């Protein structure tokens, strides 16, 4: 069975360099360019053109990261979701059931196929940049890593997610108990 889900692509976060490395107490890297464009170019097996994980062999299966705004808000309140540095912030999508599954996302320029991978676990930087306790609150709902299987363009706004697994948008903020890879 194939399911179609309406959702919203709220933000794209693209950065050519890492901002969070070293010790959180030392603070994030200075002046790391971080863009939040209206659209992104997805390249099969490489990721988002211009992003720090684009074409990095070690990250092929995790080149793109998704974050449900509902999960971020439950963990970090009104802190800016760009702080999580996940590539695609969505609303109305339960991400956890997509682990190990192929799914398509279409924002109007044609579908892009992804394979859901391992969870995107939060790092200790979250307490430093988003507030005390945010890292712990994000455990089990820090997002989903994915591999783009086809190329195309994603744009902000309404989108359709097509999957062979049932999703429940009311559970988008839920902390999952088995936050390990399948």
């Amino acid at each position: 069975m194939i399911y179609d889900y309406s959702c919203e692509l709220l933000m794209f976060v693209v950065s050519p360099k890492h901002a969070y490395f070293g010790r959180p107490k030392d603070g994030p890297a200075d002046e790391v360019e971080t863009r939040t464009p209206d659209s992104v170019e997805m390249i099969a097996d490489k990721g988002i053109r211009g992003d720090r994980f684009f074409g990095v062999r070690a990250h092929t299966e995790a080149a793109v990261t998704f974050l449900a705004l509902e999960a971020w808000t439950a963990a970090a309140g009104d802190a800016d979701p760009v702080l999580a540095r996940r590539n695609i912030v969505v609303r109305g999508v339960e991400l956890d059931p997509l682990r190990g599954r192929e799914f398509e996302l279409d924002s109007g320029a044609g579908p892009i196929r992804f394979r859901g991978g391992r969870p995107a676990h939060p790092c200790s930087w979250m307490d430093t940049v988003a507030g005390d306790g945010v890292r712990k609150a994000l455990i089990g709902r820090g997002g989903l890593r994915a591999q783009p299987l086809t190329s195309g363009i994603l744009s902000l706004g309404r989108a359709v997610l097509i999957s062979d697994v049932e999703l429940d948008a009311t559970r988008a903020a839920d902390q999952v108990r088995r936050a390990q890879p399948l």
Side-chain angles (χ1 to χ4, degrees):
M1 183 138 207
I2 302 298
Y3 303 94
D4 291 16
Y5 301 98
S6 179
C7 62
E8 190 173 0
L9 304 181
L10 299 172
M11 179 184 294
F12 301 120
V13 179
V14 181
S15 179
K17 296 181 182 177
H18 294 279
Y20 305 150
F21 53 87
R23 289 175 273 182
K25 70 177 184 163
D26 296 332
D30 290 334
E31 299 189 32
V32 171
E33 177 189 2
T34 300
R35 297 182 304 112
T36 55
D38 292 339
S39 64
V40 291
E41 181 182 8
M42 197 69 58
I43 304 297
D45 296 317
K46 292 186 182 256
I48 296 172
R49 188 176 300 282
D51 190 63
R52 63 201 176 279
F53 294 116
F54 182 79
V56 176
R57 185 168 291 187
H59 291 281
T60 299
E61 294 178 359
V64 177
T65 52
F66 287 85
L67 176 66
L69 180 66
E70 297 88 342
W72 175 257
T73 301
D78 61 359
D80 188 347
V82 77
L83 295 172
R85 299 188 58 79
R86 302 293 188 246
N87 297 121
I88 303 173
V89 179
V90 297
R91 180 174 23 226
V93 177
E94 178 189 18
L95 294 171
D96 187 63
L98 296 172
R99 286 187 297 140
R101 309 301 286 245
E102 289 189 14
F103 61 96
E104 292 181 352
L105 195 55
D106 187 347
S107 63
I112 298 174
R113 191 157 196 76
F114 293 89
R115 180 179 300 115
R118 65 187 187 272
H121 295 299
C123 67
S124 59
W125 279 94
M126 292 300 98
D127 287 342
T128 301
V129 298
D132 288 338
V134 172
R135 182 194 152 294
K136 184 176 181 180
L138 278 174
I139 293 173
R141 59 178 161 207
L144 176 72
R145 297 184 184 281
Q147 176 182 5
L149 302 176
T150 60
S151 299
I153 302 292
L154 288 177
S155 298
L156 295 181
R158 300 302 301 166
V160 175
L161 188 143
I162 301 165
S163 171
D164 66 349
V165 63
E166 284 190 77
L167 304 174
D168 182 351
T170 66
R171 294 196 304 243
D174 290 359
Q175 217 165 9
V176 296
R177 296 194 195 289
R178 97 191 140 89
Q180 297 303 312
L182 295 173

